[in-house]
Amino acid sequence: MKKFVNDPQQFVPEMLQGLALANPDTLKYVPEHNLIARADAPVAGKVSIVQGSGSGHEPAHVMAVGRGMLDAACPGDVFAAPPMDYVYETAKLMASDAGVLLLVNNYTGDRMAFDMGREMAEAEGIKVAVLLIDDDVAVKDSSFTVGRRGVAGNFFVIKAVAAAAERGASLEELVELGKRVNSVTRTMGLALTSCTPPAKGSPLFELGEDEYELGVGIHGEPGRSREKMADANTLVANLLDPVVSDLPFSSGDEVALMVNGLGGTPISELYLVYGIAHRRLADAGITVAKNYVGEYCTSLDMAGASITLVKLDDEIKGLLEAPAEIGLRIF
Amino acid sequence: MKKFVNDPQQFVPEMLQGLALANPDTLKYVPEHNLIARADAPVAGKVSIVQGSGSGHEPAHVMAVGRGMLDAACPGDVFAAPPMDYVYETAKLMASDAGVLLLVNNYTGDRMAFDMGREMAEAEGIKVAVLLIDDDVAVKDSSFTVGRRGVAGNFFVIKAVAAAAERGASLEELVELGKRVNSVTRTMGLALTSCTPPAKGSPLFELGEDEYELGVGIHGEPGRSREKMADANTLVANLLDPVVSDLPFSSGDEVALMVNGLGGTPISELYLVYGIAHRRLADAGITVAKNYVGEYCTSLDMAGASITLVKLDDEIKGLLEAPAEIGLRIF
């Protein structure tokens, strides 16, 4: 295994220590519950926004904590949901007078952990709600999910509800807003290679030298089909067209377009993909008003990418443009 | 080859088209000379800051163009210096009344192209200077270099001189400043895997399953030694200690610490590396006052990382903290 890792069991805590050391003024790390939070959270009068999931999808979600984004992230081990009592402890620590919104990508393990964590928190009188994200158009019902999976599109739900929370929206309003953003967000991904969890030390699945997995899940689980390797134009068409036809997005729409790398694909290729997708949308009369190119939700070291579209209106656009600061940054 | 690529000969132009489409208000793409520039460059009264090099190191340098960073980047094909006439055309297009500063990472091919481009521009009366960056401590004289190589530390030279240029520094002042920042910047990298140039379609060099290349160059050229794979603590010590002892950095120093991914290493591992390096420096009495974790100067899809230290003083710290906006962004 060619990775920067000491004890694989300590991979996640060591990453979180590094993240907290890199952001001493803005983030706090609570090792007892494997939790990263804004240093100033909970903020009185503001709903706290929390997301958790298995690790291995960084920057989601621990590096998306900060003002105008998550108040806390509650990660599990690599590709494993966090324990329900960590969810409960996170909700307790983040409980403001305005309440706590738990965002959950739709995977069965995560839903269980967050639903039970929510019940435990509610039993103590904490105002808490769970919002599911299920943007992946690839498959309905899969290895680890009933219904559609929640993948990179969660970025837009986080950004929108977090911006609205900063502006004073109530827990009930945020749930409605989050559902609305999720309902206009669609994603599909493809894997060019497998990925290697530190504790396994070998690739999670096999993929032939001339094959890719279309519609792959963010844990490498099967998608729609195993396809023969093709050029970038074909790969992008095979990702984008099912996304466009699903909502559907149509001529005259204004959208946000995200090209998300899965961990092992260089940013050069992601911009090449962006250019193809942007032009293909323009040809269909769809205008890209906001764009996002880089790594937002990964699968360890997997080579591959996903494409997300969000149908914009003035409210959603304004929320996406609101200021935010997170642990991950360039300068 | 598992890449998002159409015609390998068009890999760089297609990437640049995507980058420009993603930043329509702030960047312009000049296909005739393979050039990315700030939309408003050249800015009257301000020295234009330009860097070029082979492609394959993204985000360096085409994605580092923007206000407070580069005015233009002049890339060559993958791992190939730009043609001298492209350097000349870029200098001509960026010529403001205050002049043009050409930043060059010390590789022989790049030096030749930029020195000849500078001569051609000077012959037309353009005020232009070349500044070499040579932060890599790994080796003196190597496959493609006389002297030390210029690698990820170039980010700090760009950031500092670009901030000073925004504040009205003259070309002569910027050359002195750039030399000073370069003189307190040190880097070393290691490769866990090889990398695959699109036009070659196969790995550039071979590296055994239990080996890494310590002190690797950013084109995969040999470094100090081929070592047996080890845990993260050992890898970080083997990168950091030669950097610390080279300047040397010593107890009481305040530094900027960059952990730079080489393209195929996930951000989770980079933060783990950051934590180890931060603590190792603290143990030596060295304070990390600013930090940078992510991809700044890559080698296509190579797994691996480099560590850069910059010795800070109030002037350099202030310049690193000045505002900047580049094509690469999160929100």
Side-chain angles (χ1 to χ4, degrees):
Chain A
M1 177 175 55
K2 294 288 199 82
K3 284 183 179 296
F4 292 93
V5 57
N6 291 312
D7 173 2
Q9 302 307 324
Q10 295 301 313
F11 180 73
V12 174
E14 286 194 54
M15 163 184 72
L16 299 182
Q17 285 162 24
L19 178 62
L21 280 170
N23 295 279
D25 299 329
T26 52
L27 298 183
K28 58 188 168 197
Y29 168 47
V30 183
E32 308 87 274
H33 311 119
N34 215 33
L35 141 73
I36 291 282
R38 272 173 65 166
D40 59 350
V43 177
K46 189 187 90 67
V47 175
S48 293
I49 312 296
V50 173
Q51 178 143 17
S53 72
S55 291
H57 307 303
E58 292 73 25
H61 298 97
V62 291
M63 294 162 201
V65 176
R67 193 177 56 83
M69 286 287 284
L70 295 175
D71 291 274
C74 170
D77 208 343
V78 171
F79 293 175
M84 68 179 91
D85 51 317
Y86 285 16
V87 174
Y88 158 67
E89 295 289 351
T90 304
K92 232 170 41 170
L93 280 166
M94 290 298 111
S96 78
D97 49 333
V100 180
L101 178 59
L102 302 174
L103 302 178
V104 183
N105 279 8
N106 188 33
Y107 278 96
T108 304
D110 292 298
R111 284 183 69 161
M112 275 183 59
F114 277 82
D115 274 337
M116 299 181 85
R118 175 186 54 74
E119 282 181 22
M120 291 163 76
E122 278 176 340
E124 296 212 9
I126 297 169
K127 192 173 171 186
V128 56
V130 168
L131 175 66
L132 286 178
I133 300 160
D134 62 349
D135 55 310
D136 188 348
V137 308
V139 288
K140 192 173 175 336
D141 304 337
S142 69
S143 319
F144 313 124
T145 336
V146 176
R148 284 182 166 191
R149 303 174 297 208
V151 291
N154 75 25
F155 174 86
F156 296 100
V157 178
I158 297 172
K159 182 71 188 69
V161 299
E166 295 282 350
R167 293 173 187 179
S170 71
L171 184 57
E172 294 72 21
E173 289 167 338
L174 293 180
V175 169
E176 286 314 303
L177 171 66
K179 284 183 184 169
R180 197 165 79 75
V181 176
N182 181 60
S183 76
V184 293
T185 301
R186 295 290 188 278
T187 301
M188 194 152 100
L190 68 80
L192 297 179
T193 70
S194 186
C195 60
T196 299
K200 184 166 190 288
S202 59
L204 198 57
F205 63 100
E206 295 300 323
L207 197 53
E209 258 315 298
D210 59 343
E211 291 178 330
Y212 70 97
E213 180 71 31
L214 180 63
V216 71
I218 54 174
H219 313 93
E221 65 270 31
R224 286 192 176 184
S225 53
R226 187 70 53 111
E227 302 282 342
K228 285 283 169 205
M229 194 56 199
D231 66 12
N233 287 334
T234 306
L235 296 177
V236 172
N238 288 349
L239 274 187
L240 185 62
D241 294 357
V243 169
V244 169
S245 62
D246 190 87
L247 188 63
F249 297 87
S250 49
S251 183
D253 281 351
E254 203 178 50
V255 299
L257 166 58
M258 172 184 277
V259 174
N260 168 59
L262 296 183
T265 285
I267 187 81
S268 48
E269 295 178 44
L270 299 180
Y271 274 101
L272 187 148
V273 166
Y274 177 81
I276 299 169
H278 180 114
R279 286 189 298 266
R280 198 169 174 89
L281 289 168
D283 289 346
I286 298 168
T287 303
V288 179
K290 293 195 63 63
N291 63 74
Y292 302 79
V293 184
E295 292 178 347
Y296 292 85
C297 185
T298 63
S299 302
L300 296 165
D301 54 348
M302 182 184 284
S306 67
I307 289 181
T308 300
L309 289 181
V310 185
K311 189 166 172 170
L312 296 177
D313 56 33
D314 287 347
E315 185 193 14
I316 296 177
K317 211 158 121 181
L319 294 167
L320 295 183
E321 282 168 357
E325 276 173 24
I326 56 173
L328 193 76
R329 57 203 152 64
I330 293 158
F331 294 106
Chain B
M1 177 175 53
K2 293 290 198 78
K3 286 183 178 296
F4 292 94
V5 56
N6 291 311
D7 173 2
Q9 302 307 324
Q10 295 301 312
F11 180 74
V12 173
E14 285 194 54
M15 163 183 71
L16 299 181
Q17 286 163 25
L19 178 62
L21 281 170
N23 296 278
D25 300 330
T26 53
L27 298 183
K28 58 187 168 197
Y29 168 47
V30 183
E32 308 87 272
H33 311 119
N34 215 34
L35 140 74
I36 290 282
R38 272 173 66 165
D40 59 351
V43 176
K46 189 186 90 67
V47 175
S48 293
I49 312 296
V50 173
Q51 178 142 17
S53 72
S55 292
H57 307 301
E58 292 71 23
H61 296 96
V62 292
M63 295 161 200
V65 175
R67 194 178 55 84
M69 287 287 284
L70 296 174
D71 291 273
C74 169
D77 207 342
V78 171
F79 293 175
M84 69 180 92
D85 51 317
Y86 285 16
V87 174
Y88 160 66
E89 295 289 351
T90 304
K92 233 171 38 171
L93 281 166
M94 291 297 111
S96 78
D97 49 334
V100 180
L101 178 58
L102 302 174
L103 302 179
V104 183
N105 279 8
N106 188 33
Y107 279 96
T108 303
D110 293 296
R111 284 183 71 161
M112 276 183 59
F114 277 82
D115 274 337
M116 299 179 85
R118 175 186 54 77
E119 282 180 23
M120 292 163 75
E122 278 176 340
E124 297 212 9
I126 297 169
K127 193 175 170 186
V128 57
V130 168
L131 175 66
L132 286 178
I133 299 161
D134 62 349
D135 56 310
D136 188 346
V137 307
V139 288
K140 191 172 176 339
D141 305 338
S142 70
S143 318
F144 313 124
T145 337
V146 176
R148 286 183 165 190
R149 304 175 297 208
V151 292
N154 76 24
F155 174 86
F156 297 100
V157 178
I158 297 172
K159 181 71 187 71
V161 300
E166 296 282 350
R167 293 173 188 179
S170 72
L171 184 57
E172 295 71 22
E173 288 168 338
L174 293 180
V175 169
E176 286 315 302
L177 172 66
K179 283 183 184 169
R180 198 166 79 74
V181 176
N182 181 60
S183 76
V184 293
T185 301
R186 296 291 187 279
T187 302
M188 194 153 100
L190 67 80
L192 298 178
T193 69
S194 186
C195 60
T196 298
K200 184 167 190 287
S202 59
L204 198 55
F205 63 100
E206 295 300 323
L207 197 52
E209 258 314 300
D210 59 343
E211 291 179 329
Y212 70 97
E213 180 71 29
L214 180 63
V216 72
I218 54 174
H219 314 93
E221 65 270 32
R224 287 194 174 183
S225 53
R226 187 70 53 110
E227 303 282 343
K228 286 283 167 202
M229 193 57 197
D231 66 13
N233 286 334
T234 306
L235 296 178
V236 172
N238 288 350
L239 274 187
L240 185 62
D241 295 357
V243 169
V244 169
S245 62
D246 190 87
L247 188 63
F249 297 86
S250 49
S251 182
D253 281 351
E254 204 178 50
V255 299
L257 166 58
M258 172 184 278
V259 174
N260 169 59
L262 296 183
T265 285
I267 188 80
S268 49
E269 295 178 44
L270 299 180
Y271 272 101
L272 187 148
V273 167
Y274 178 81
I276 298 169
H278 180 114
R279 287 188 299 266
R280 197 168 176 88
L281 289 169
D283 288 347
I286 298 168
T287 303
V288 179
K290 293 196 62 63
N291 64 74
Y292 303 79
V293 184
E295 292 178 346
Y296 293 84
C297 185
T298 63
S299 302
L300 295 166
D301 53 350
M302 182 184 284
S306 66
I307 289 181
T308 300
L309 289 182
V310 185
K311 189 166 171 170
L312 296 177
D313 55 33
D314 288 347
E315 186 193 13
I316 296 176
K317 211 158 121 181
L319 293 166
L320 295 183
E321 283 168 356
E325 276 173 26
I326 56 175
L328 192 76
R329 59 203 149 63
I330 295 158
F331 295 107

